[in-house]
Amino acid sequence: MPASCFADVLSQHIELTPAERDTLERLEERTRTVRRGGILRRSNDRSGELFVLRSGLMMTYVLLGDGSRQILRFHFPGDMLGLSGLVYPEAPETICAVTESVVCPFERSALAQLVEAHPRLASMILAYGQIDRVSLTDRLAALGRTSAKARVGALLLEWRSRLRAGDGSIGESFSLGLTQEEVGDATGLTAVHVNRMLRQLEEEGLIAREGQRVTICDERALMAATNYVDRYRDLDLGWLPAGR
């Protein structure tokens, strides 16, 4: 396992200096294991810590007034968790493990020191926050304006994009480590409706499934049907300050 998962993510876009890499490694010195379905932090908990996801998969969600759950985002190794609570005394969202996961907790004061000592790292955290915001905006627009089939298809493309960001060897086939209920909670659909949409995508020759494994059979057609845009590609980072 790398000394810093977050450093590995950033190094795909910038060449880190030894001092920058050392700073990121210190953020991941402590580890905590969270079992599948375990809650790392609940909404309204004190939001004193931040986390780097070391391994596994996690999700952030809110509970709605009727008791239903809206999944806001899924998190992959190298993601920084808890940033949404950075400016609030209480966490606005719940962070939960989709699979057994390992996180690295660190205090907000460590982030303050990083911002002061390494402006380029702080800028990259800002940039990733904007990617996250735009991706969430895309899904919000989809919930109100696209079909159920398009929402499910876009989630499949997004999942593959996130997996590819951490493993460039992933091609058209990948493991979707989600239940149909979790897909539904991310797309505003029931599990029954998700199952129906997955079958429809198969019948139209857009995807194939074998257990939890999904294959994108016609990427161009699926992207056209879902209006999906990969927000993790074609980044403009020419404005970043120099590394220290």
Side-chain angles (χ1 to χ4, degrees), residues 40-58:
L40 178 62
R41 189 171 70 195
R42 293 187 185 278
S43 174
N44 299 321
D45 282 353
R46 187 181 73 86
S47 57
E49 287 183 319
L50 301 172
F51 311 88
V52 173
L53 180 55
R54 187 83 170 157
S55 65
L57 297 167
M58 304 196 82

Side-chain angles (χ1 to χ4, degrees), residues 63-112:
L63 294 177
L64 306 179
D66 61 0
S68 61
R69 178 179 68 177
Q70 177 63 56
I71 296 175
L72 303 174
R73 54 185 74 82
F74 294 103
H75 302 287
F76 293 75
D79 283 359
M80 190 173 286
L81 314 180
L83 286 173
S84 61
L86 194 59
V87 295
Y88 301 106
E90 298 178 344
E93 306 158 342
T94 296
I95 306 173
C96 174
V98 177
T99 65
E100 182 171 305
S101 302
V102 175
V103 300
C104 301
F106 61 93
E107 296 296 324
R108 288 194 280 188
S109 58
L111 184 61

